[in-house]
Amino acid sequence: QVHLVESGGGSVQAGGSLRLSCAASGSVLRINAMNWYRQPPGKQRELVASITQGNSTNYADSVKGRFTISRDNAKNTVYLQMNSLKPEDTAVYYCYLTVLLISYYVNDYWGQGTQVTVSS
């Protein structure tokens, strides 16, 4: 079993910053891909940023230059630094991890979600 805990969401004014964290615990041998998704109110979930085990990153066009994804393999944790936040960044943010388990099976896991609200 793998348990994900997200933290760092909250309410900020436009132009502010937040840092999200997602820590995995349990039967983790290694985490392969790490991703952040978000789901704005009334809209579908969308990929925001991803980082591979080799630290290659990819971003949605809407967040390029403002968001930075990073990972700490020793802590099985992925981060999302969000700067210059805009009201349209308001959403529930989810981490999504591809985990190599100690059993050598690979499974995907979603975090519980954390609310980010940006006011104008």
Side-chain angles (χ1 to χ4, degrees):
Q1 280 285 8
V2 173
H3 185 53
L4 303 186
V5 176
E6 294 186 33
S7 61
S11 298
V12 296
Q13 289 191 327
S17 297
L18 286 172
R19 189 192 194 207
L20 306 183
S21 300
C22 172
S25 61
S27 304
V28 178
L29 182 61
R30 185 183 69 230
I31 300 177
N32 296 334
M34 295 177 159
N35 308 277
W36 285 100
Y37 283 76
R38 68 185 181 187
Q39 187 164 15
K43 297 185 179 180
Q44 290 189 336
R45 196 171 296 189
E46 61 183 8
L47 179 63
V48 175
S50 59
I51 185 167
T52 67
Q53 191 184 4
N55 285 319
S56 294
T57 58
N58 190 48
Y59 298 93
D61 288 342
S62 59
V63 307
K64 281 181 181 176
R66 300 188 299 121
F67 290 11
T68 302
I69 188 171
S70 60
R71 59 189 290 164
D72 184 333
N73 293 328
K75 296 181 179 179
N76 290 329
T77 298
V78 60
Y79 304 97
L80 186 68
Q81 178 67 43
M82 305 185 294
N83 298 328
S84 302
L85 282 161
K86 304 176 180 180
E88 51 263 43
D89 295 318
T90 295
V92 178
Y93 284 71
Y94 299 89
C95 58
Y96 180 69
L97 308 184
T98 299
V99 179
L100 176 63
L101 302 172
I102 58 176
S103 61
Y104 290 95
Y105 283 97
V106 176
N107 272 345
D108 297 319
Y109 297 90
W110 286 99
Q112 82 277 12
T114 186
Q115 177 69 47
V116 172
T117 302
V118 184
S119 58
S120 57

